[in-house]
Amino acid sequence: MVPTDSSYSSTGERPARRRRKEARPAELTAAALEHFVEKGYAATRLEDVAAQAGVSKGTLYLYFENKEALFRAVVEEGIVPVLAAAEEMLADFSGSSVDLLRRLLFGWWEQVGATRLAGVPKLIVAEAHNFPEVAQYYHDNVIVRGRSLVRRVLARGIERGEFRSLDVETAIDVIIAPLLMLVIWQSSLRFCGPEFVPENYLQTHFELLVRGLAAGEETPGIGVPDSERQGV
Amino acid sequence: MVPTDSSYSSTGERPARRRRKEARPAELTAAALEHFVEKGYAATRLEDVAAQAGVSKGTLYLYFENKEALFRAVVEEGIVPVLAAAEEMLADFSGSSVDLLRRLLFGWWEQVGATRLAGVPKLIVAEAHNFPEVAQYYHDNVIVRGRSLVRRVLARGIERGEFRSLDVETAIDVIIAPLLMLVIWQSSLRFCGPEFVPENYLQTHFELLVRGLAAGEETPGIGVPDSERQGV
DNA sequence: ATAGTTAGTGACTTTTTGGTCAGTAATTGC
DNA sequence: GCAATTACTGACCAAAAAGTCACTAACTAT
């Protein structure tokens, strides 16, 4: 995010030039992610990215063929490992499905939502049309696998009689949507004041979900609106 | 969206030039909305926008001072009337709060989600940082008022004993998030295949909500996870 | 008809920025 | 030390797109 060696002396001369072949790519993609999320792909100037990473524009082109390659690297970096960890956690879990769902939601928040990775969904949403192949990559490696995680939790809960049976595929989307919206909000509209607490938001979402999924008696009024109901 | 008079003759000569002072601005903003949503603000070429509206670039500059003014016009156009209609509907409604909530969700879908206006949220999300004053306008005139609508439905339901009491402000966000995510998805990732039906998605969201909001006995397992519970 | 008004045009200028490369200096091997 | 290597620099180039304006032609009033 910031050049590691930023020891300006008080006289204002620039920091000594350093050769750090290993560290450059990660510093550049980190800086690029920040700029892409903040300003969008097209409005991001590579010179600014390079400057934030503490190098010149020419150096950026030593490590990335062009702007699009940098964009691909930003997206492809560091997303998959998180999913792998979650998949493993889910495989050997023995508690209730409600607990499992809670773990999934809050684990996601800690591993993704509260980190710099939270900017990626906004980036994908904003640039999907301009980079269809990157969007496809994200779809196959993040969306499909993420949906699969939720699907397994729902199936488990239904099988064990903890959740009522419902349209699983659609429910997955409804469960994930507030999570995505949370990070998208945070990385675009910042005027959700200090009274907005992500943990409370997640907790409310979770509570609504658990009650909404719970097996039990029918809740009245869900099917056809009263106003459109014909006398029987 | 498209030049009204697009009668090319079979010989390939261009359509006759027409003077249509009144119609131009709306046609230009409609074309611009499409391009902005599809490619993003910075990647949109004004020459393309003008061409799609059936005029030259010079004409665009007759009606809008510059690119940013065009962007502002796109956002400010045609959002408020929809909200006004919803506010009125809500004011004189006498049925159950569940029905009211249903009307709000599906009414929003018909009036916004299924129209070209559906692209605006993605546009705002993507460009909020580059146009803080436009984001502020959208916040004050759409977000605040939209949240207020949902707040009144929830307050009404709680007051009448139809809904349990809960953290209303946070619940509002959780209710709105899947709606926004729906239109954002649709205007960016298009690979949600033909098996994805927005109406089903809305119905599932609604059903989860109604059960989640319903007044009634406590559902176990919501508070502290079993795994973290100490013996009493 | 026809002179006057103004919507509309598109070639041109200006600005911005992605991308290049000849040169510089930090590091390594001897 | 000193030469060889190469990470790094930033002035420069070229392409793209915003923005301008002298000119054209559709409409209008008389």
Side-chain angles (χ1 to χ4, degrees):
Chain A
M1 165 185 178
V2 161
T4 316
D5 184 343
S6 56
S7 51
Y8 282 74
S9 82
S10 55
T11 57
E13 74 248 21
R14 295 193 318 231
R17 198 202 264 189
R18 287 285 149 76
R19 302 175 65 174
R20 299 189 307 116
K21 189 179 164 72
E22 318 303 325
R24 298 302 189 202
E27 289 172 2
L28 284 165
T29 51
L33 172 59
E34 239 175 76
H35 275 80
F36 285 155
V37 170
E38 180 123 349
K39 312 175 103 69
Y41 174 84
T44 292
R45 289 192 314 224
L46 293 189
E47 196 145 11
D48 291 346
V49 172
Q52 185 170 332
V55 297
S56 72
K57 189 163 59 160
T59 300
L60 194 157
Y61 279 92
L62 284 179
Y63 296 101
F64 300 95
E65 194 185 332
N66 52 32
K67 195 178 185 181
E68 183 173 342
L70 176 64
F71 179 77
R72 277 199 302 273
V74 165
V75 174
E76 290 171 10
E77 184 177 276
I79 309 242
V80 183
V82 177
L83 273 169
E87 279 160 357
E88 192 181 351
M89 185 274 281
L90 195 146
D92 40 54
F93 184 86
S94 55
S96 74
S97 296
V98 169
D99 273 4
L100 182 52
L101 186 61
R102 189 206 330 269
R103 279 211 173 182
L104 202 62
L105 295 192
F106 287 87
W108 169 87
W109 171 249
E110 283 158 24
Q111 304 275 320
V112 179
T115 73
R116 69 168 76 263
L117 260 47
V120 176
K122 175 194 162 177
L123 191 51
I124 294 291
V125 157
E127 306 295 345
H129 271 127
N130 296 115
F131 302 97
E133 66 294 345
V134 177
Q136 186 67 47
Y137 170 86
Y138 189 79
H139 174 263
D140 297 343
N141 290 281
V142 181
I143 298 179
V144 167
R145 288 175 68 186
R147 285 178 49 91
S148 179
L149 286 177
V150 180
R151 184 182 300 112
R152 285 169 61 189
V153 174
L154 287 183
R156 183 183 189 270
I158 293 170
E159 196 182 335
R160 293 167 44 134
E162 298 165 291
F163 298 155
R164 66 189 171 90
S165 70
L166 39 51
D167 177 352
V168 173
E169 291 310 308
T170 312
I172 294 170
D173 293 326
V174 177
I175 291 170
I176 292 178
L179 304 187
L180 286 177
M181 214 51 232
L182 174 58
V183 289
I184 289 175
W185 259 331
Q186 296 229 318
S187 46
S188 60
L189 316 176
R190 265 293 154 56
F191 33 52
C192 33
E195 73 278 6
F196 183 85
V197 181
E199 282 83 0
N200 290 354
Y201 173 86
L202 282 177
Q203 179 64 27
T204 298
H205 176 41
F206 172 69
E207 285 176 14
L208 278 169
L209 263 186
V210 169
R211 292 168 188 263
L213 291 170
E217 83 294 341
E218 193 61 25
T219 302
I222 284 184
V224 182
D226 296 347
S227 47
E228 292 165 20
R229 195 170 287 160
Q230 304 295 324
V232 178
Chain B
M1 163 187 176
V2 160
T4 315
D5 185 342
S6 56
S7 51
Y8 282 73
S9 83
S10 54
T11 57
E13 75 246 19
R14 295 196 316 236
R17 198 202 263 189
R18 289 285 147 75
R19 301 177 62 173
R20 299 171 41 251
K21 188 179 162 74
E22 319 303 326
R24 297 303 188 201
E27 289 171 1
L28 284 164
T29 51
L33 172 59
E34 240 174 75
H35 275 81
F36 285 156
V37 170
E38 180 123 349
K39 311 174 105 68
Y41 174 83
T44 293
R45 289 192 313 234
L46 293 190
E47 196 144 13
D48 291 346
V49 171
Q52 183 170 332
V55 296
S56 71
K57 189 164 58 160
T59 301
L60 194 155
Y61 279 92
L62 284 179
Y63 295 101
F64 301 94
E65 193 185 333
N66 52 32
K67 195 177 183 181
E68 182 173 343
L70 176 64
F71 179 77
R72 276 198 302 272
V74 165
V75 174
E76 290 171 11
E77 183 177 276
I79 309 241
V80 184
V82 177
L83 272 169
E87 279 161 357
E88 191 180 352
M89 185 275 281
L90 196 146
D92 40 54
F93 183 86
S94 56
S96 74
S97 296
V98 169
D99 273 6
L100 182 53
L101 185 61
R102 188 205 332 269
R103 279 213 172 182
L104 202 63
L105 294 191
F106 287 88
W108 168 86
W109 171 249
E110 283 158 23
Q111 305 275 320
V112 179
T115 73
R116 70 169 74 264
L117 260 46
V120 176
K122 175 196 162 176
L123 192 51
I124 294 291
V125 158
E127 306 295 344
H129 272 126
N130 296 115
F131 302 97
E133 67 295 344
V134 177
Q136 187 67 47
Y137 169 87
Y138 190 79
H139 174 263
D140 296 343
N141 289 281
V142 180
I143 298 178
V144 167
R145 287 174 68 186
R147 285 178 50 92
S148 180
L149 286 177
V150 180
R151 184 182 300 113
R152 283 169 61 187
V153 174
L154 288 182
R156 182 183 191 270
I158 292 170
E159 197 182 335
R160 293 168 45 135
E162 297 165 291
F163 298 155
R164 67 190 170 90
S165 69
L166 39 52
D167 177 352
V168 173
E169 290 310 309
T170 311
I172 294 170
D173 294 325
V174 177
I175 291 171
I176 292 177
L179 305 186
L180 286 177
M181 215 50 233
L182 173 58
V183 290
I184 288 175
W185 259 331
Q186 295 229 318
S187 46
S188 61
L189 315 177
R190 264 292 153 58
F191 32 53
C192 33
E195 74 277 5
F196 183 85
V197 182
E199 282 84 359
N200 289 355
Y201 173 87
L202 282 177
Q203 179 65 26
T204 298
H205 177 40
F206 173 69
E207 286 176 13
L208 278 169
L209 264 186
V210 168
R211 292 170 188 263
L213 292 170
E217 83 293 340
E218 193 61 26
T219 303
I222 285 184
V224 181
D226 296 346
S227 48
E228 293 166 19
R229 196 171 286 158
Q230 304 295 324
V232 177

PDB file of all heavy atoms in Angstrom, chain B residues 1-27:
ATOM      1  N   MET B   1     -34.008   7.362 -26.694  1.00  0.00           N
ATOM      2  CA  MET B   1     -32.984   6.313 -26.761  1.00  0.00           C
ATOM      3  C   MET B   1     -32.439   6.180 -28.148  1.00  0.00           C
ATOM      4  O   MET B   1     -31.298   5.881 -28.384  1.00  0.00           O
ATOM      5  CB  MET B   1     -33.609   4.996 -26.304  1.00  0.00           C
ATOM      6  CG  MET B   1     -32.821   3.765 -26.699  1.00  0.00           C
ATOM      7  SD  MET B   1     -33.736   2.279 -26.295  1.00  0.00           S
ATOM      8  CE  MET B   1     -32.628   1.026 -26.965  1.00  0.00           C
ATOM      9  N   VAL B   2     -33.279   6.444 -29.140  1.00  0.00           N
ATOM     10  CA  VAL B   2     -32.885   6.289 -30.536  1.00  0.00           C
ATOM     11  C   VAL B   2     -33.481   7.464 -31.298  1.00  0.00           C
ATOM     12  O   VAL B   2     -34.564   7.931 -30.956  1.00  0.00           O
ATOM     13  CB  VAL B   2     -33.422   4.951 -31.103  1.00  0.00           C
ATOM     14  CG1 VAL B   2     -33.467   4.977 -32.612  1.00  0.00           C
ATOM     15  CG2 VAL B   2     -32.598   3.779 -30.609  1.00  0.00           C
ATOM     16  N   PRO B   3     -32.754   7.954 -32.295  1.00  0.00           N
ATOM     17  CA  PRO B   3     -33.327   9.071 -33.054  1.00  0.00           C
ATOM     18  C   PRO B   3     -34.693   8.704 -33.606  1.00  0.00           C
ATOM     19  O   PRO B   3     -34.881   7.664 -34.214  1.00  0.00           O
ATOM     20  CB  PRO B   3     -32.319   9.302 -34.177  1.00  0.00           C
ATOM     21  CG  PRO B   3     -31.414   8.124 -34.172  1.00  0.00           C
ATOM     22  CD  PRO B   3     -31.448   7.576 -32.789  1.00  0.00           C
ATOM     23  N   THR B   4     -35.645   9.597 -33.406  1.00  0.00           N
ATOM     24  CA  THR B   4     -37.014   9.305 -33.807  1.00  0.00           C
ATOM     25  C   THR B   4     -37.113   9.129 -35.309  1.00  0.00           C
ATOM     26  O   THR B   4     -37.820   8.259 -35.811  1.00  0.00           O
ATOM     27  CB  THR B   4     -37.940  10.457 -33.374  1.00  0.00           C
ATOM     28  OG1 THR B   4     -37.607  10.810 -32.048  1.00  0.00           O
ATOM     29  CG2 THR B   4     -39.374  10.012 -33.457  1.00  0.00           C
ATOM     30  N   ASP B   5     -36.394   9.976 -36.022  1.00  0.00           N
ATOM     31  CA  ASP B   5     -36.451   9.891 -37.473  1.00  0.00           C
ATOM     32  C   ASP B   5     -35.189   9.206 -37.981  1.00  0.00           C
ATOM     33  O   ASP B   5     -34.164   9.825 -38.187  1.00  0.00           O
ATOM     34  CB  ASP B   5     -36.563  11.302 -38.075  1.00  0.00           C
ATOM     35  CG  ASP B   5     -36.742  11.232 -39.578  1.00  0.00           C
ATOM     36  OD1 ASP B   5     -36.454  10.176 -40.174  1.00  0.00           O
ATOM     37  OD2 ASP B   5     -37.171  12.238 -40.138  1.00  0.00           O
ATOM     38  N   SER B   6     -35.273   7.916 -38.152  1.00  0.00           N
ATOM     39  CA  SER B   6     -34.099   7.193 -38.632  1.00  0.00           C
ATOM     40  C   SER B   6     -34.446   6.468 -39.924  1.00  0.00           C
ATOM     41  O   SER B   6     -34.220   5.282 -40.072  1.00  0.00           O
ATOM     42  CB  SER B   6     -33.617   6.202 -37.581  1.00  0.00           C
ATOM     43  OG  SER B   6     -34.666   5.336 -37.225  1.00  0.00           O
ATOM     44  N   SER B   7     -35.001   7.224 -40.865  1.00  0.00           N
ATOM     45  CA  SER B   7     -35.436   6.604 -42.106  1.00  0.00           C
ATOM     46  C   SER B   7     -34.352   6.727 -43.168  1.00  0.00           C
ATOM     47  O   SER B   7     -34.381   7.620 -44.001  1.00  0.00           O
ATOM     48  CB  SER B   7     -36.717   7.288 -42.586  1.00  0.00           C
ATOM     49  OG  SER B   7     -36.513   8.688 -42.596  1.00  0.00           O
ATOM     50  N   TYR B   8     -33.370   5.840 -43.062  1.00  0.00           N
ATOM     51  CA  TYR B   8     -32.355   5.782 -44.097  1.00  0.00           C
ATOM     52  C   TYR B   8     -32.998   5.255 -45.378  1.00  0.00           C
ATOM     53  O   TYR B   8     -33.790   4.330 -45.338  1.00  0.00           O
ATOM     54  CB  TYR B   8     -31.234   4.818 -43.701  1.00  0.00           C
ATOM     55  CG  TYR B   8     -30.261   5.377 -42.708  1.00  0.00           C
ATOM     56  CD1 TYR B   8     -30.622   5.544 -41.387  1.00  0.00           C
ATOM     57  CD2 TYR B   8     -28.987   5.744 -43.108  1.00  0.00           C
ATOM     58  CE1 TYR B   8     -29.730   6.050 -40.473  1.00  0.00           C
ATOM     59  CE2 TYR B   8     -28.084   6.245 -42.191  1.00  0.00           C
ATOM     60  CZ  TYR B   8     -28.458   6.396 -40.872  1.00  0.00           C
ATOM     61  OH  TYR B   8     -27.560   6.900 -39.988  1.00  0.00           O
ATOM     62  N   SER B   9     -32.655   5.822 -46.500  1.00  0.00           N
ATOM     63  CA  SER B   9     -33.139   5.237 -47.746  1.00  0.00           C
ATOM     64  C   SER B   9     -32.202   4.100 -48.127  1.00  0.00           C
ATOM     65  O   SER B   9     -31.106   3.983 -47.608  1.00  0.00           O
ATOM     66  CB  SER B   9     -33.158   6.295 -48.856  1.00  0.00           C
ATOM     67  OG  SER B   9     -31.872   6.421 -49.423  1.00  0.00           O
ATOM     68  N   SER B  10     -32.645   3.265 -49.046  1.00  0.00           N
ATOM     69  CA  SER B  10     -31.861   2.085 -49.405  1.00  0.00           C
ATOM     70  C   SER B  10     -30.565   2.458 -50.122  1.00  0.00           C
ATOM     71  O   SER B  10     -29.642   1.666 -50.196  1.00  0.00           O
ATOM     72  CB  SER B  10     -32.694   1.163 -50.296  1.00  0.00           C
ATOM     73  OG  SER B  10     -33.175   1.904 -51.402  1.00  0.00           O
ATOM     74  N   THR B  11     -30.448   3.688 -50.601  1.00  0.00           N
ATOM     75  CA  THR B  11     -29.226   4.076 -51.295  1.00  0.00           C
ATOM     76  C   THR B  11     -28.114   4.443 -50.316  1.00  0.00           C
ATOM     77  O   THR B  11     -27.004   4.735 -50.721  1.00  0.00           O
ATOM     78  CB  THR B  11     -29.474   5.271 -52.216  1.00  0.00           C
ATOM     79  OG1 THR B  11     -29.989   6.346 -51.439  1.00  0.00           O
ATOM     80  CG2 THR B  11     -30.468   4.922 -53.300  1.00  0.00           C
ATOM     81  N   GLY B  12     -28.408   4.452 -49.016  1.00  0.00           N
ATOM     82  CA  GLY B  12     -27.363   4.644 -48.029  1.00  0.00           C
ATOM     83  C   GLY B  12     -27.084   6.087 -47.682  1.00  0.00           C
ATOM     84  O   GLY B  12     -26.227   6.357 -46.863  1.00  0.00           O
ATOM     85  N   GLU B  13     -27.775   7.058 -48.255  1.00  0.00           N
ATOM     86  CA  GLU B  13     -27.494   8.436 -47.844  1.00  0.00           C
ATOM     87  C   GLU B  13     -28.062   8.678 -46.454  1.00  0.00           C
ATOM     88  O   GLU B  13     -28.954   7.962 -45.996  1.00  0.00           O
ATOM     89  CB  GLU B  13     -28.075   9.440 -48.839  1.00  0.00           C
ATOM     90  CG  GLU B  13     -29.575   9.608 -48.751  1.00  0.00           C
ATOM     91  CD  GLU B  13     -30.265   9.098 -50.007  1.00  0.00           C
ATOM     92  OE1 GLU B  13     -29.655   8.314 -50.755  1.00  0.00           O
ATOM     93  OE2 GLU B  13     -31.408   9.506 -50.235  1.00  0.00           O
ATOM     94  N   ARG B  14     -27.512   9.676 -45.789  1.00  0.00           N
ATOM     95  CA  ARG B  14     -27.901   9.917 -44.401  1.00  0.00           C
ATOM     96  C   ARG B  14     -29.304  10.505 -44.315  1.00  0.00           C
ATOM     97  O   ARG B  14     -29.772  11.149 -45.247  1.00  0.00           O
ATOM     98  CB  ARG B  14     -26.901  10.874 -43.769  1.00  0.00           C
ATOM     99  CG  ARG B  14     -25.517  10.265 -43.664  1.00  0.00           C
ATOM    100  CD  ARG B  14     -24.724  11.082 -42.706  1.00  0.00           C
ATOM    101  NE  ARG B  14     -24.942  12.501 -42.990  1.00  0.00           N
ATOM    102  CZ  ARG B  14     -23.968  13.344 -43.254  1.00  0.00           C
ATOM    103  NH1 ARG B  14     -22.736  12.904 -43.296  1.00  0.00           N
ATOM    104  NH2 ARG B  14     -24.223  14.601 -43.461  1.00  0.00           N
ATOM    105  N   PRO B  15     -29.951  10.319 -43.158  1.00  0.00           N
ATOM    106  CA  PRO B  15     -31.287  10.877 -42.982  1.00  0.00           C
ATOM    107  C   PRO B  15     -31.202  12.393 -42.980  1.00  0.00           C
ATOM    108  O   PRO B  15     -30.195  12.965 -42.584  1.00  0.00           O
ATOM    109  CB  PRO B  15     -31.719  10.353 -41.602  1.00  0.00           C
ATOM    110  CG  PRO B  15     -30.440  10.063 -40.909  1.00  0.00           C
ATOM    111  CD  PRO B  15     -29.464   9.653 -41.963  1.00  0.00           C
ATOM    112  N   ALA B  16     -32.270  13.042 -43.400  1.00  0.00           N
ATOM    113  CA  ALA B  16     -32.277  14.495 -43.457  1.00  0.00           C
ATOM    114  C   ALA B  16     -32.071  15.082 -42.076  1.00  0.00           C
ATOM    115  O   ALA B  16     -32.536  14.543 -41.079  1.00  0.00           O
ATOM    116  CB  ALA B  16     -33.609  14.981 -44.041  1.00  0.00           C
ATOM    117  N   ARG B  17     -31.353  16.159 -42.022  1.00  0.00           N
ATOM    118  CA  ARG B  17     -31.126  16.861 -40.762  1.00  0.00           C
ATOM    119  C   ARG B  17     -32.450  17.463 -40.282  1.00  0.00           C
ATOM    120  O   ARG B  17     -33.206  17.987 -41.075  1.00  0.00           O
ATOM    121  CB  ARG B  17     -30.128  17.978 -41.032  1.00  0.00           C
ATOM    122  CG  ARG B  17     -29.449  18.527 -39.824  1.00  0.00           C
ATOM    123  CD  ARG B  17     -28.935  19.907 -40.138  1.00  0.00           C
ATOM    124  NE  ARG B  17     -27.535  19.922 -40.514  1.00  0.00           N
ATOM    125  CZ  ARG B  17     -26.837  21.051 -40.672  1.00  0.00           C
ATOM    126  NH1 ARG B  17     -27.409  22.218 -40.501  1.00  0.00           N
ATOM    127  NH2 ARG B  17     -25.580  21.003 -41.016  1.00  0.00           N
ATOM    128  N   ARG B  18     -32.748  17.338 -39.023  1.00  0.00           N
ATOM    129  CA  ARG B  18     -33.973  17.910 -38.457  1.00  0.00           C
ATOM    130  C   ARG B  18     -33.645  18.791 -37.274  1.00  0.00           C
ATOM    131  O   ARG B  18     -32.694  18.524 -36.555  1.00  0.00           O
ATOM    132  CB  ARG B  18     -34.944  16.794 -38.007  1.00  0.00           C
ATOM    133  CG  ARG B  18     -35.595  16.037 -39.141  1.00  0.00           C
ATOM    134  CD  ARG B  18     -36.684  16.866 -39.813  1.00  0.00           C
ATOM    135  NE  ARG B  18     -36.775  16.588 -41.238  1.00  0.00           N
ATOM    136  CZ  ARG B  18     -37.314  15.484 -41.764  1.00  0.00           C
ATOM    137  NH1 ARG B  18     -37.824  14.558 -41.000  1.00  0.00           N
ATOM    138  NH2 ARG B  18     -37.339  15.311 -43.069  1.00  0.00           N
ATOM    139  N   ARG B  19     -34.454  19.806 -37.068  1.00  0.00           N
ATOM    140  CA  ARG B  19     -34.261  20.679 -35.906  1.00  0.00           C
ATOM    141  C   ARG B  19     -35.295  20.318 -34.857  1.00  0.00           C
ATOM    142  O   ARG B  19     -36.488  20.551 -35.058  1.00  0.00           O
ATOM    143  CB  ARG B  19     -34.407  22.134 -36.320  1.00  0.00           C
ATOM    144  CG  ARG B  19     -33.422  22.533 -37.383  1.00  0.00           C
ATOM    145  CD  ARG B  19     -33.631  23.956 -37.819  1.00  0.00           C
ATOM    146  NE  ARG B  19     -33.429  24.900 -36.741  1.00  0.00           N
ATOM    147  CZ  ARG B  19     -33.433  26.216 -36.915  1.00  0.00           C
ATOM    148  NH1 ARG B  19     -33.620  26.731 -38.110  1.00  0.00           N
ATOM    149  NH2 ARG B  19     -33.246  27.009 -35.908  1.00  0.00           N
ATOM    150  N   ARG B  20     -34.870  19.750 -33.747  1.00  0.00           N
ATOM    151  CA  ARG B  20     -35.832  19.299 -32.719  1.00  0.00           C
ATOM    152  C   ARG B  20     -35.317  19.680 -31.332  1.00  0.00           C
ATOM    153  O   ARG B  20     -34.969  18.834 -30.524  1.00  0.00           O
ATOM    154  CB  ARG B  20     -36.075  17.794 -32.853  1.00  0.00           C
ATOM    155  CG  ARG B  20     -36.664  17.451 -34.214  1.00  0.00           C
ATOM    156  CD  ARG B  20     -36.756  15.962 -34.541  1.00  0.00           C
ATOM    157  NE  ARG B  20     -37.180  15.136 -33.454  1.00  0.00           N
ATOM    158  CZ  ARG B  20     -36.359  14.303 -32.814  1.00  0.00           C
ATOM    159  NH1 ARG B  20     -35.107  14.202 -33.176  1.00  0.00           N
ATOM    160  NH2 ARG B  20     -36.821  13.587 -31.856  1.00  0.00           N
ATOM    161  N   LYS B  21     -35.331  20.991 -31.124  1.00  0.00           N
ATOM    162  CA  LYS B  21     -34.797  21.563 -29.873  1.00  0.00           C
ATOM    163  C   LYS B  21     -35.362  20.902 -28.616  1.00  0.00           C
ATOM    164  O   LYS B  21     -34.633  20.681 -27.644  1.00  0.00           O
ATOM    165  CB  LYS B  21     -35.124  23.059 -29.883  1.00  0.00           C
ATOM    166  CG  LYS B  21     -34.513  23.899 -28.782  1.00  0.00           C
ATOM    167  CD  LYS B  21     -34.947  25.356 -29.013  1.00  0.00           C
ATOM    168  CE  LYS B  21     -34.781  26.230 -27.789  1.00  0.00           C
ATOM    169  NZ  LYS B  21     -33.384  26.567 -27.512  1.00  0.00           N
ATOM    170  N   GLU B  22     -36.656  20.595 -28.628  1.00  0.00           N
ATOM    171  CA  GLU B  22     -37.308  20.083 -27.424  1.00  0.00           C
ATOM    172  C   GLU B  22     -36.856  18.662 -27.095  1.00  0.00           C
ATOM    173  O   GLU B  22     -36.631  18.318 -25.938  1.00  0.00           O
ATOM    174  CB  GLU B  22     -38.840  20.089 -27.580  1.00  0.00           C
ATOM    175  CG  GLU B  22     -39.415  21.318 -28.257  1.00  0.00           C
ATOM    176  CD  GLU B  22     -39.033  22.603 -27.530  1.00  0.00           C
ATOM    177  OE1 GLU B  22     -38.931  22.552 -26.292  1.00  0.00           O
ATOM    178  OE2 GLU B  22     -38.803  23.631 -28.201  1.00  0.00           O
ATOM    179  N   ALA B  23     -36.746  17.834 -28.139  1.00  0.00           N
ATOM    180  CA  ALA B  23     -36.537  16.403 -27.901  1.00  0.00           C
ATOM    181  C   ALA B  23     -35.084  16.046 -27.610  1.00  0.00           C
ATOM    182  O   ALA B  23     -34.811  15.008 -27.008  1.00  0.00           O
ATOM    183  CB  ALA B  23     -37.040  15.608 -29.107  1.00  0.00           C
ATOM    184  N   ARG B  24     -34.158  16.891 -28.051  1.00  0.00           N
ATOM    185  CA  ARG B  24     -32.736  16.520 -27.947  1.00  0.00           C
ATOM    186  C   ARG B  24     -32.253  16.172 -26.546  1.00  0.00           C
ATOM    187  O   ARG B  24     -31.631  15.117 -26.355  1.00  0.00           O
ATOM    188  CB  ARG B  24     -31.861  17.642 -28.528  1.00  0.00           C
ATOM    189  CG  ARG B  24     -32.050  17.938 -30.003  1.00  0.00           C
ATOM    190  CD  ARG B  24     -31.839  16.755 -30.886  1.00  0.00           C
ATOM    191  NE  ARG B  24     -31.833  17.123 -32.295  1.00  0.00           N
ATOM    192  CZ  ARG B  24     -32.062  16.264 -33.281  1.00  0.00           C
ATOM    193  NH1 ARG B  24     -32.339  14.988 -33.003  1.00  0.00           N
ATOM    194  NH2 ARG B  24     -32.031  16.653 -34.528  1.00  0.00           N
ATOM    195  N   PRO B  25     -32.500  17.031 -25.542  1.00  0.00           N
ATOM    196  CA  PRO B  25     -31.910  16.742 -24.222  1.00  0.00           C
ATOM    197  C   PRO B  25     -32.289  15.357 -23.702  1.00  0.00           C
ATOM    198  O   PRO B  25     -31.418  14.597 -23.259  1.00  0.00           O
ATOM    199  CB  PRO B  25     -32.486  17.854 -23.337  1.00  0.00           C
ATOM    200  CG  PRO B  25     -32.794  18.961 -24.278  1.00  0.00           C
ATOM    201  CD  PRO B  25     -33.239  18.307 -25.557  1.00  0.00           C
ATOM    202  N   ALA B  26     -33.565  15.009 -23.790  1.00  0.00           N
ATOM    203  CA  ALA B  26     -33.997  13.707 -23.266  1.00  0.00           C
ATOM    204  C   ALA B  26     -33.358  12.571 -24.051  1.00  0.00           C
ATOM    205  O   ALA B  26     -32.957  11.551 -23.483  1.00  0.00           O
ATOM    206  CB  ALA B  26     -35.520  13.605 -23.316  1.00  0.00           C
ATOM    207  N   GLU B  27     -33.246  12.733 -25.360  1.00  0.00           N
ATOM    208  CA  GLU B  27     -32.640  11.679 -26.166  1.00  0.00           C
ATOM    209  C   GLU B  27     -31.151  11.536 -25.829  1.00  0.00           C
ATOM    210  O   GLU B  27     -30.607  10.430 -25.799  1.00  0.00           O
ATOM    211  CB  GLU B  27     -32.822  11.980 -27.658  1.00  0.00           C
ATOM    212  CG  GLU B  27     -34.257  11.806 -28.127  1.00  0.00           C
ATOM    213  CD  GLU B  27     -34.493  12.313 -29.542  1.00  0.00           C
ATOM    214  OE1 GLU B  27     -33.534  12.784 -30.180  1.00  0.00           O
ATOM    215  OE2 GLU B  27     -35.643  12.243 -30.015  1.00  0.00           O
TER     216      GLU B  27
END
